[in-house]
Amino acid sequence: MQSHLFISSPCLQKIPSLITLSHFPLSSQFPRKKTSCGCGGWRARAMQRTESGGGGGERNSGVRSKLTEASFLASLMPKKEIGADRFLEAYPEYDGRGVVIAIFDSGVDPAAAGLHVTSDGKPKVLDVLDCTGSGDIDTSTVVKADGDGRIRGASGALLAVNPSWKNPSGEWHVGSKLVYEFFTNTLTSRLKKERKKKWNEKNQAAIAEAVKNLDEFDQKHSKVDDVKLKRIREDLQNRVDYLRKLADGYDDKGPIINAVVWYDGELWRVALDTQCLEDEPGRGKLEDFVPLTNFRTERKFGVFSKLDACTFVANVYEEGNVVSIVTDSSPHGTHVAGIATAFDPQEPLLNGVAPGAQIISCKIGDSRLGSMETGTGLSRALIAAVEHKCDLINMSYGEPTLLPDYGRFVDLVNEVVNKHHLIFVSSAGNSGPALSTVGAPGGTSSSIIGVGAYVSPDMAAGAHCVVDPPEEGLEYTWSSRGPTADGALGVCVSAPGGAVAPVPTWTLQRRMLMNGTSMASPSACGGIALVLSAMKAEGIDISPYDVRKALENTSIPIGTMPEDKLTSGQGLMQVDKALEYLRLSRDIPSVRYDVKISRSGKSSPTYRGIYLREACACQQPTEWTVQVEPKFHEGASNLDQLVPFEEHIEFRCSDTEIIKAPEYLLLTHNGRSFNIVVDPTSLAEGLHYHELYGIDCKAPQRGPLFRIPLTITKPMAVKGHPPLVSFAGMQFSPGHIERRFIEVPQGATWVEATMRASGFDTSRRFFVDSLQLSPLKRPGKWESVVTFSSPSAKVFSFQVEGGQTIELAVAQFWSSGRGSQETTVVDFELVFHGIDVNNEELILDGSDASVRIVATSLLSSEKLVPLAILNKLRVPYRPSESKLRTLLGNRDRLPSGKQILALTLTYKFKLEDAADIKPHIPLLNNRVYDNKFESQFYMISDSNKRIFAKGDVYPKSMKLPKGEFTLQLYLRHDNLQLLEKMKSLVVFIERTLDDKDAVRLSFFSEPDGNVTGNGGFKSSVLVPGLKEGFYISPPNKDKLPKNCPEGSILVGEISYGKSSSGKQSGEKNPKRNPAFYQISYVVPPNKSGAEKEKNSSAASNISVSQRLEEEVRDAKIKVLTSLRQNIEEDRAEWEKLSASLKAEYLKHTPLLVKILDALISRNNEEDKVQHYKQIIDAANEVVDSIEREELAKYIADKSDPEDDEAEKTKKKMDSTRDQLAEALYHKGLALAELESVKPETRTDEVNEEESGEPVVKDDLFEENFKELRKWADVKSSKYGTLSVIRERRSGRVLNDMIQDDGDPPKKKLYDLKLSLIEEIGWNHVASIERQWMYVRFPKSLPLF
């Protein structure tokens, strides 16, 4: 029996002593994602960086010794940097045993090298969960086996059930999914390439056969005059053309996997049918699959096929109605798990930090979103970590945030840490080298240990293969820096940020090099697991608070300057020293010190540190109120812990001239507040970092109990005109960073910078960052990676905010220039420009009045060249339906016991033409962590339930065809009241306008210029200090894009100046200029009802009696249509009334159309011949009622209507044409059906006239088809069914069988197309068509 099942085994294949390293193109998998314009922001899906080469060094190592084979292998999985090697040598049994780590990531492959068992033989992976739902399959459909033991799968395939499988109920739950939906983009690309190669071989064989048949025909028939022969040859040529065109447009949607779920009396079981993935006949059958159950129960997993080599796990939920097929969404999660816990019995040097630890894999990276985390994934992961009684959580994901230590996820993390005592470790981010770039949640949340990325000399030499590694270690250039916006340090500690660790089997390799704070976090997490293993073995209870304090107070500083803490936190963590610290502190209460700081006299906002960044804050001393409150874990005893708590705190600070604070403080459980004074006036320009910390007088060896970080960035003022700042002669070596802080002059809106590099030989790579902070905004960051291959200059321009401090951080990349003795000399020049306006973001309210803009230049003369464009249309929609339900099962039950609720909002919208659109939800978009709503997800589908788009908080633009669509928005929270408030949530559908439809706004020097046409304004030169006004005109109503309803909003950009260098200047697009702002226009109401009625009355010449007669007629027709065809009494009345109305209103087309529609709607007619004849007669009556010559003349005149009456006529004629085409279409279908039940009705024969010349006597179907072709595109999806029927009647195949015209496709049409292809024998084409049938016509919408 064939088996897809693999069970974890300690028997691992031995690898060579020297391994080959592979760089994986991860930069393409985890790109920076732009989320704002101008100064910009970015979001990383996982905290990881990849680069070719690097450097670093061991602390205080002096001259680095040459690598040996052993030290080389050790450098691939670094441990000695954090003292883990010393720890394991001293305590080999404290290698993580007894510790369980939850890996919040992209998923872990349980088949990966080193992740099978622990060092003491226990299963390494305890559970594998897809917390996102991206692998969920709806298996709520229940079927029973037929007499042959077969069931009908969800895809429609007949599947044989293994008779040995126990199923007492006989009920089989079935579901299906396209297999590519389980795979990463990288794996899918590989499979598509391999599958296309095999498909092309089959298609080439089919083309060769088709060409051969055509050639044989041509040789046999040298002259083709006979009509039938012409048709045969045309068909042979069409087959050749069709196959060739198909090869060019080949689009592999992937094989369809059938899933079957059943209850065997004890457990829910899962089996998959994967025959469509296999090349060999008979492989992958459902009956040969070894059934799986929830991984947690038996710890078994499968592989889809040998071709993909992709491991999967199955978990069943909701009593068999949902099965989750768990795969990873990138190699990232497996790599992270390997760093923390891998165990390699053949080569211990390649072990992870804690090889004895066990893990659970919580996939938070959604495969539908390219591995981006979702709120659903994050909350379910926390639920799972508590349910599995994990000790540690590692999360190597994050993004920038506008509010630190805030949001729904942070609230849940606080509960997990404070109540359930889990230790949460996370990456700080990869946005360095600028300050204040730490990401959420790792670098911004108080309950999480944020980890920076360190590189040692051995790592540089071994893992990164650097030619001349440094003698001392350093932080990676890209590692994010603190402080947070509210003054917290941001980075807690640092750990090695690179490793060659296990990766999933589908990558077709065992290990891979990755680096980033993603790798530093599991290194630190593994180190903490060693400490916990020791504590558990020695019976010492510790808390997350104790661990954090131990790490911070025993770390080795990286760098010699106080401000280096902003880069590396308290330093490089040391596991052995942390253990000793905790042993000495075992009898001291576990307390977290909650520090809140506010300016004296103000209760809000509160901060976690003091961050003096702006110039005004550095010009005088300031007084601050500090509240310190001890926090015990939930459940602490009032009498035994809270009441006795009392500590005598001695304050110490790094500089008493800068920070003036009390000397001592008596601290009790209820906390204390005190004031401090910060005096930065004597400090020089630049960066300064200090700390005020509290020491326990009775136990000073404990080190600082709490710290109050003080960061001061004293900016330099820009003086002179033009406002220019230059930094000459800055000298750089690898890893060196120069920071300059500048007070951006008031009125400045952009900077033009020039960077000149000289004095070097080999090429140099630099990171150049600029960053500004503004309240309640993500950091305004501009960044560039610049490479100099020879001495030269680079020019940049970027947007700034006047009056705010900007940091310019220039860093030579840590590995760039290694092996060279030359020092790079950099000169940097900044020239500030600015055009200040009274309204940066303009809203045009829909009136006809122009809006006044006042511009001034405070710095120097600037050329004022206003440019504005409206190139996006946002149409608001309210839900047409809302459904609120309680989610079932443990995976949606919070640790507090509350069950999560889900609200599904349904929106309907229509596109008149194909367009690029995306949903826009201002309340929810662009925030994952700093959001009080737990989760959001949307899907856009058509009337056939085909999914066109999926997304979450970062909607992406997608191309949709014209037609009607449904958007479903899925929101989750445990708070019913919050969800109730969302039931009327407004969603905008944002449509990107084509260039021809974009609205370019005009400017005038007069208020009435937009009406009179006088006083156009193009440009001017602003004199410093003098204001100049002009007007922006609203768009001309006649120039508004079509399908632009009232209440919608046109949005775009406006700019006022251009770069003086001429680069990045936009002649037509303001976004190409260095500074631009948003502009909006509210579309006003259309013509009033009274005005429309007036126009209508004026255009109408019919009398009152005629109007009355028409209304009576229409009322009678309405009564006719209300009679139901499936009720015998109604049908009898319908027959009488329809005959009466036809006699009364001769050739009234709308009446005849309604009669035809009624006949078509009849089902299950016993006399089918009579039924089809009735339809044909009714269709003929519709056709005969239409003046086709008049209609043809009107259609031939393609001029656009010039007034309302002409528009009305056009609509009427278009409607008439559609009625004619529909009648001909249904007549054709009826004729074809009539042939199928009465073949003798077909009359297409070749007769001979008296002259002996052959002539074709077309049958009724052919005549009708030719008539339809005059009025409609017979290859469109709307009428294409007749085209396929026509070809089947003749045994032919169309060249362009069906054209996608934007109308929702009809399943019957594609069924006919598929059957025609199967009849021809093109099985390889049929397989692709079946995939597309599954995509175009799914039986139901996928699960959220």
Side-chain angles (χ1 to χ4, degrees):
M1 180 183 294
Q2 180 201 354
S3 173
H4 288 264
L5 184 65
F6 295 84
I7 304 175
S8 299
S9 168
C11 300
L12 302 180
Q13 180 182 356
K14 184 172 176 62
I15 63 169
S17 57
L18 286 176
I19 65 173
T20 302
L21 308 186
S22 298
H23 285 275
F24 197 78
L26 286 157
S27 56
S28 63
Q29 281 189 291
F30 301 99
R32 287 183 171 184
K33 175 175 179 179
K34 299 293 181 184
T35 57
S36 61
C37 52
C39 294
W42 64 273
R43 152 168 228 270
R45 290 175 185 156
M47 296 299 186
Q48 161 208 335
R49 294 287 291 249
T50 301
E51 70 248 358
S52 55
E58 192 70 20
R59 300 299 306 157
N60 302 320
S61 60
V63 178
R64 191 188 67 84
S65 58
K66 188 176 179 64
L67 283 179
T68 63
E69 180 182 348
S71 61
F72 163 68
L73 289 174
S75 75
L76 305 182
M77 287 287 262
K79 292 180 277 290
K80 75 174 184 178
E81 288 80 356
I82 59 172
D85 59 341
R86 300 190 301 269
F87 182 99
L88 290 170
E89 185 177 352
Y91 311 107
E93 294 186 357
Y94 296 168
D95 62 352
R97 297 175 197 185
V99 176
V100 180
I101 304 174
I103 305 293
F104 288 13
D105 216 286
S106 61
V108 176
D109 182 358
L115 297 180
H116 298 186
V117 296
T118 65
S119 56
D120 55 347
K122 294 179 180 178
K124 172 65 67 176
V125 184
L126 298 177
D127 206 354
V128 179
L129 302 166
D130 179 0
C131 300
T132 68
S134 59
D136 286 2
I137 301 177
D138 183 352
T139 50
S140 58
T141 300
V142 178
V143 300
K144 296 210 171 188
D146 61 17
D148 296 326
R150 299 181 303 175
I151 60 175
R152 181 71 65 179
S155 71
L158 272 176
L159 308 172
V161 173
N162 191 314
S164 67
W165 293 347
K166 294 180 181 179
N167 186 353
S169 69
E171 295 182 341
W172 306 89
H173 293 250
V174 295
S176 59
K177 203 176 184 79
L178 290 168
V179 75
Y180 288 170
E181 295 182 23
F182 298 117
F183 296 162
T184 67
N185 291 337
T186 304
L187 175 56
T188 299
S189 296
R190 172 166 69 81
L191 290 181
K192 283 186 174 182
K193 184 177 180 181
E194 295 179 12
R195 284 167 55 85
K196 184 176 182 180
K197 180 180 178 182
K198 295 175 183 177
W199 186 89
N200 277 338
E201 292 173 357
K202 297 176 182 177
N203 197 55
Q204 286 299 320
I207 291 174
E209 180 67 21
V211 171
K212 174 188 171 187
N213 293 336
L214 178 61
D215 185 55
E216 289 176 349
F217 179 89
D218 288 341
Q219 291 181 9
K220 185 176 181 181
H221 305 280
S222 57
K223 187 177 182 181
V224 182
D225 294 328
D226 182 84
V227 176
K228 274 193 172 181
L229 291 178
K230 284 182 178 180
R231 286 184 176 178
I232 292 172
R233 194 192 185 286
E234 179 186 356
D235 179 55
L236 291 173
Q237 183 63 56
N238 280 347
R239 295 188 183 206
V240 174
D241 295 341
Y242 181 79
L243 290 170
R244 284 174 173 166
K245 186 173 182 180
L246 195 64
D248 295 334
Y250 173 86
D251 187 3
D252 179 13
K253 288 295 178 182
I256 303 163
I257 297 296
N258 279 286
V260 179
V261 179
W262 71 97
Y263 188 67
D264 69 0
E266 297 179 358
L267 298 169
W268 284 99
R269 295 286 179 182
V270 179
L272 300 185
D273 181 88
T274 60
Q275 293 183 71
C276 51
L277 266 172
E278 300 286 356
D279 292 328
E280 300 177 27
R283 290 184 64 87
K285 290 183 178 180
L286 177 74
E287 60 188 311
D288 294 334
F289 192 92
V290 178
L292 300 174
T293 189
N294 288 16
F295 185 86
R296 184 178 185 180
T297 304
E298 293 182 348
R299 300 188 183 96
K300 296 179 181 179
F301 53 83
V303 172
F304 289 103
S305 71
K306 291 182 178 179
L307 182 64
D308 54 75
C310 182
T311 307
F312 69 88
V313 158
N315 294 306
V316 180
Y317 301 103
E318 298 183 22
E319 297 298 310
N321 290 323
V322 175
V323 61
S324 173
I325 303 299
V326 190
T327 56
D328 59 78
S329 57
S330 85
H332 188 270
T334 302
H335 197 273
V336 163
I339 292 172
T341 70
F343 171 62
D344 189 326
Q346 276 75 38
E347 186 49 81
L349 289 174
L350 294 177
N351 284 347
V353 180
Q358 295 175 297
I359 64 171
I360 67 165
S361 169
C362 299
K363 177 182 173 182
I364 62 170
D366 197 305
S367 296
R368 298 167 293 187
L369 305 175
S371 196
M372 187 177 293
E373 72 269 47
T374 62
T376 298
L378 292 167
S379 60
R380 282 179 173 171
L382 286 172
I383 291 168
V386 173
E387 180 188 353
H388 284 73
K389 295 181 170 55
C390 293
D391 303 286
L392 279 157
I393 296 171
N394 183 87
M395 179 171 157
S396 294
Y397 266 68
E399 67 169 29
T401 178
L402 60 88
L403 277 174
D405 209 29
Y406 169 87
R408 169 70 172 166
F409 181 67
V410 173
D411 294 341
L412 294 175
V413 168
N414 290 341
E415 179 185 347
V416 165
V417 172
N418 298 329
K419 183 176 181 179
H420 300 280
H421 298 203
L422 273 75
I423 301 169
F424 202 126
V425 186
S426 185
S427 48
N430 302 328
S431 298
L435 301 183
S436 299
T437 51
V438 285
T444 61
S445 308
S446 295
S447 297
I448 297 177
I449 298 172
V451 186
Y454 169 86
V455 58
S456 70
D458 282 357
M459 291 168 61
H464 291 288
C465 301
V466 170
V467 174
D468 186 15
E471 295 181 357
E472 288 195 349
L474 71 162
E475 211 79 355
Y476 282 97
T477 308
W478 36 254
S479 188
S480 288
R481 270 71 173 174
T484 63
D486 65 345
L489 184 59
V491 184
C492 177
V493 292
S494 290
V500 177
V503 287
T505 54
W506 62 259
T507 64
L508 307 185
Q509 61 188 86
R510 301 186 68 192
R511 293 178 175 83
M512 186 182 295
L513 170 65
M514 298 187 196
N515 40 119
T517 54
S518 278
M519 285 65 244
S521 183
S523 178
C525 188
I528 297 170
L530 299 181
V531 175
L532 292 185
S533 181
M535 296 292 97
K536 287 189 173 189
E538 296 176 7
I540 301 174
D541 291 330
I542 58 171
S543 75
Y545 316 147
D546 300 325
V547 170
R548 180 171 189 144
K549 206 175 301 173
L551 293 176
E552 291 179 338
N553 289 339
T554 60
S555 294
I556 298 175
I558 301 173
T560 58
M561 304 296 291
E563 52 267 24
D564 289 328
K565 286 190 175 185
L566 296 169
T567 293
S568 59
Q570 299 302 328
L572 189 62
M573 64 176 283
Q574 299 296 301
V575 176
D576 50 347
K577 295 179 181 179
L579 172 61
E580 293 306 314
Y581 181 97
L582 289 167
R583 283 172 170 169
L584 294 173
S585 306
R586 61 186 303 171
D587 297 326
I588 297 173
S590 296
V591 176
R592 170 174 62 91
Y593 298 86
D594 189 21
V595 178
K596 293 182 180 178
I597 306 167
S598 61
R599 283 185 178 271
S600 295
K602 292 184 66 176
S603 58
S604 64
T606 59
Y607 307 93
R608 292 175 296 161
I610 299 175
Y611 192 5
L612 304 182
R613 184 177 175 92
E614 307 306 328
C616 59
C618 301
Q619 293 171 357
Q620 62 186 24
T622 52
E623 187 175 15
W624 302 80
T625 298
V626 181
Q627 174 74 30
V628 179
E629 188 174 351
K631 295 287 186 180
F632 289 78
H633 283 291
E634 289 189 30
S637 169
N638 288 343
L639 290 176
D640 296 336
Q641 293 177 279
L642 272 58
V643 172
F645 180 81
E646 188 172 278
E647 290 183 329
H648 301 167
I649 303 297
E650 178 188 356
F651 286 113
R652 299 179 185 176
C653 64
S654 53
D655 192 327
T656 56
E657 295 298 319
I658 305 300
I659 306 175
K660 295 179 172 59
E663 294 181 1
Y664 292 92
L665 179 74
L666 178 63
L667 186 62
T668 64
H669 164 253
N670 290 320
R672 285 287 303 275
S673 64
F674 57 93
N675 285 8
I676 64 174
V677 174
V678 176
D679 184 1
T681 55
S682 62
L683 295 175
E685 294 171 350
L687 173 63
H688 306 273
Y689 178 80
H690 299 281
E691 283 183 347
L692 173 68
Y693 49 92
I695 299 291
D696 184 351
C697 295
K698 297 181 179 179
Q701 71 278 4
R702 294 172 63 191
L705 304 183
F706 57 86
R707 292 177 170 87
I708 300 171
L710 168 62
T711 307
I712 302 170
T713 57
K714 197 167 186 178
M716 64 179 294
V718 181
K719 300 176 182 178
H721 294 279
L724 179 149
V725 179
S726 61
F727 308 106
M730 295 187 293
Q731 296 193 349
F732 287 87
S733 57
H736 181 70
I737 303 173
E738 287 285 341
R739 304 182 189 277
R740 298 292 186 271
F741 299 90
I742 306 151
E743 181 185 4
V744 177
Q746 289 288 350
T749 53
W750 80 89
V751 168
E752 295 179 12
T754 303
M755 179 180 180
R756 295 180 177 85
S758 60
F760 59 92
D761 42 20
T762 58
S763 65
R764 297 292 191 267
R765 187 182 181 199
F766 285 87
F767 275 28
V768 183
D769 286 359
S770 75
L771 185 138
Q772 287 186 288
L773 296 182
S774 295
L776 299 182
K777 285 177 65 177
R778 289 186 174 181
K781 186 169 184 280
W782 174 87
E783 61 188 9
S784 181
V785 178
V786 185
T787 299
F788 292 93
S789 56
S790 61
S792 58
K794 307 283 185 181
V795 178
F796 325 100
S797 60
F798 49 89
Q799 196 162 348
V800 296
E801 185 176 347
Q804 299 286 113
T805 296
I806 189 170
E807 176 191 1
L808 174 68
V810 183
Q812 185 170 323
F813 195 61
W814 70 274
S815 62
S816 177
R818 296 286 178 192
S820 170
Q821 304 302 315
E822 301 290 339
T823 299
T824 313
V825 178
V826 172
D827 300 325
F828 217 101
E829 181 180 272
L830 300 172
V831 181
F832 290 91
H833 295 263
I835 297 177
D836 198 19
V837 293
N838 54 334
N839 291 311
E840 282 189 349
E841 295 188 0
L842 286 172
I843 299 177
L844 306 179
D845 59 11
S847 70
D848 295 320
S850 296
V851 174
R852 184 175 69 100
I853 299 174
V854 178
T856 183
S857 173
L858 301 177
L859 306 177
S860 59
S861 295
E862 297 285 356
K863 187 172 183 180
L864 174 64
V865 189
L867 177 66
I869 186 171
L870 301 172
N871 51 15
K872 291 182 175 62
L873 174 67
R874 291 177 181 167
V875 181
Y877 293 89
R878 286 199 183 273
S880 59
E881 183 182 4
S882 64
K883 289 184 179 179
L884 185 63
R885 68 185 183 96
T886 302
L887 298 175
L888 303 176
N890 292 334
R891 67 173 175 169
D892 291 311
R893 182 179 297 117
L894 293 170
S896 63
K898 292 182 178 180
Q899 202 74 32
I900 295 174
L901 308 172
L903 174 66
T904 303
L905 301 175
T906 302
Y907 302 82
K908 304 284 187 179
F909 67 96
K910 184 177 181 179
L911 296 177
E912 297 296 339
D913 297 293
D916 287 316
I917 69 105
K918 75 172 181 179
H920 177 67
I921 313 170
L923 177 65
L924 302 175
N925 285 165
N926 302 322
R927 292 183 294 145
V928 174
Y929 299 101
D930 44 356
N931 193 328
K932 284 294 184 179
F933 289 92
E934 178 187 302
S935 179
Q936 57 187 286
F937 200 92
Y938 69 83
M939 292 190 289
I940 297 177
S941 59
D942 65 7
S943 57
N944 290 319
K945 300 184 178 66
R946 176 183 175 180
I947 298 297
F948 282 85
K950 301 175 183 177
D952 67 335
V953 297
Y954 294 99
K956 291 183 178 179
S957 184
M958 76 292 296
K959 186 82 170 181
L960 292 188
K962 76 172 185 179
E964 296 180 353
F965 296 92
T966 298
L967 183 148
Q968 286 193 313
L969 178 62
Y970 180 75
L971 306 174
R972 291 165 44 106
H973 209 286
D974 64 295
N975 189 316
L976 176 62
Q977 286 72 28
L978 279 180
L979 292 179
E980 288 284 355
K981 292 179 180 179
M982 305 294 282
K983 283 189 172 181
S984 297
L985 179 69
V986 172
V987 167
F988 290 88
I989 299 299
E990 181 181 283
R991 174 162 60 96
T992 301
L993 302 176
D994 295 332
D995 287 342
K996 62 182 177 62
D997 295 325
V999 180
R1000 288 170 174 80
L1001 301 181
S1002 300
F1003 300 89
F1004 297 89
S1005 58
E1006 301 174 1
D1008 304 314
N1010 62 314
V1011 178
T1012 64
N1014 298 326
F1017 184 87
K1018 297 294 183 183
S1019 64
S1020 178
V1021 175
L1022 292 175
V1023 177
L1026 295 182
K1027 296 182 178 181
E1028 184 163 345
F1030 57 98
Y1031 292 88
I1032 183 170
S1033 169
N1036 190 319
K1037 305 298 186 294
D1038 297 333
K1039 300 298 183 182
L1040 291 179
K1042 61 181 180 178
N1043 308 317
C1044 194
E1046 65 177 90
S1048 57
I1049 303 173
L1050 283 164
V1051 295
E1053 294 80 31
I1054 183 169
S1055 65
Y1056 301 98
K1058 297 181 179 181
S1059 171
S1060 62
S1061 65
K1063 294 184 178 180
Q1064 299 182 353
S1065 62
E1067 296 296 332
K1068 296 182 179 180
N1069 190 345
K1071 293 179 76 171
R1072 295 176 183 169
N1073 291 321
F1076 59 90
Y1077 310 93
Q1078 182 171 302
I1079 184 170
S1080 307
Y1081 172 74
V1082 180
V1083 178
N1086 298 320
K1087 292 180 179 179
S1088 66
E1091 187 178 353
K1092 288 181 180 178
E1093 187 176 345
K1094 180 180 177 182
N1095 292 339
S1096 177
S1097 299
S1100 177
N1101 296 318
I1102 64 174
S1103 64
V1104 173
S1105 61
Q1106 287 176 303
R1107 288 174 57 191
L1108 180 61
E1109 184 181 342
E1110 289 181 358
E1111 289 183 9
V1112 171
R1113 179 198 64 201
D1114 294 343
K1116 290 179 180 180
I1117 295 174
K1118 187 174 182 181
V1119 171
L1120 178 70
T1121 57
S1122 69
L1123 297 174
R1124 290 167 288 184
Q1125 297 296 311
N1126 59 345
I1127 298 177
E1128 189 173 342
E1129 293 179 1
D1130 278 17
R1131 184 187 289 195
E1133 292 295 328
W1134 183 89
E1135 297 285 357
K1136 294 178 185 177
L1137 183 56
S1138 63
S1140 171
L1141 292 177
K1142 280 199 293 184
E1144 185 176 0
Y1145 304 110
L1146 294 174
K1147 292 191 174 184
H1148 181 56
T1149 305
L1151 168 63
L1152 299 174
V1153 168
K1154 294 297 182 184
I1155 292 172
L1156 175 60
D1157 290 342
L1159 291 171
I1160 294 169
S1161 69
R1162 293 179 179 179
N1163 296 319
N1164 303 320
E1165 295 292 291
E1166 293 183 4
D1167 190 347
K1168 293 187 180 297
V1169 172
Q1170 182 62 27
H1171 174 59
Y1172 295 136
K1173 285 183 177 180
Q1174 285 181 324
I1175 292 176
I1176 292 168
D1177 291 341
N1180 284 335
E1181 289 179 339
V1182 173
V1183 173
D1184 293 341
S1185 72
I1186 296 172
E1187 294 290 340
R1188 283 176 278 176
E1189 288 187 12
E1190 180 185 349
L1191 179 61
K1193 289 179 182 178
Y1194 182 84
I1195 292 174
D1197 181 10
K1198 300 182 181 296
S1199 59
D1200 294 329
E1202 297 180 354
D1203 53 34
D1204 290 345
E1205 186 61 26
E1207 181 67 30
K1208 185 178 179 181
T1209 302
K1210 181 181 184 300
K1211 288 182 179 180
K1212 181 181 177 181
M1213 286 297 186
D1214 288 345
S1215 176
T1216 302
R1217 181 188 58 191
D1218 292 343
Q1219 290 169 342
L1220 174 60
E1222 282 291 314
L1224 292 168
Y1225 171 68
H1226 287 291
K1227 178 184 175 181
L1229 292 179
L1231 286 167
E1233 294 290 350
L1234 194 59
E1235 284 182 4
S1236 67
V1237 297
K1238 195 176 180 182
E1240 64 270 19
T1241 60
R1242 182 166 177 168
T1243 60
D1244 54 333
E1245 297 176 352
V1246 178
N1247 298 326
E1248 289 189 2
E1249 299 237 349
E1250 293 180 3
S1251 62
E1253 292 294 323
V1255 62
V1256 176
K1257 181 182 177 183
D1258 285 339
D1259 60 31
L1260 294 176
F1261 179 91
E1262 191 66 25
E1263 288 178 355
N1264 182 78
F1265 185 84
K1266 288 181 177 179
E1267 183 66 20
L1268 174 61
R1269 191 158 52 190
K1270 296 177 183 177
W1271 308 103
D1273 181 2
V1274 292
K1275 292 182 181 179
S1276 67
S1277 59
K1278 190 172 185 179
Y1279 303 114
T1281 304
L1282 278 188
S1283 293
V1284 179
I1285 291 173
R1286 180 173 180 250
E1287 299 312 302
R1288 290 195 65 186
R1289 293 174 82 247
S1290 304
R1292 299 195 307 268
V1293 59
L1294 284 172
N1295 188 19
D1296 294 316
M1297 194 170 290
I1298 303 171
Q1299 292 178 352
D1300 185 5
D1301 59 355
D1303 287 324
K1306 296 180 179 180
K1307 188 173 186 299
K1308 182 178 180 180
L1309 168 61
Y1310 284 89
D1311 283 334
L1312 286 169
K1313 175 183 177 182
L1314 178 58
S1315 64
L1316 179 55
I1317 291 171
E1318 288 175 334
E1319 287 176 9
I1320 294 171
W1322 291 341
N1323 293 329
H1324 69 293
V1325 179
S1327 67
I1328 294 294
E1329 284 301 319
R1330 289 191 198 97
Q1331 294 173 15
W1332 273 101
M1333 289 288 287
Y1334 190 87
V1335 172
R1336 290 189 182 104
F1337 309 104
K1339 293 183 178 179
S1340 61
L1341 291 171
L1343 301 173
F1344 281 101

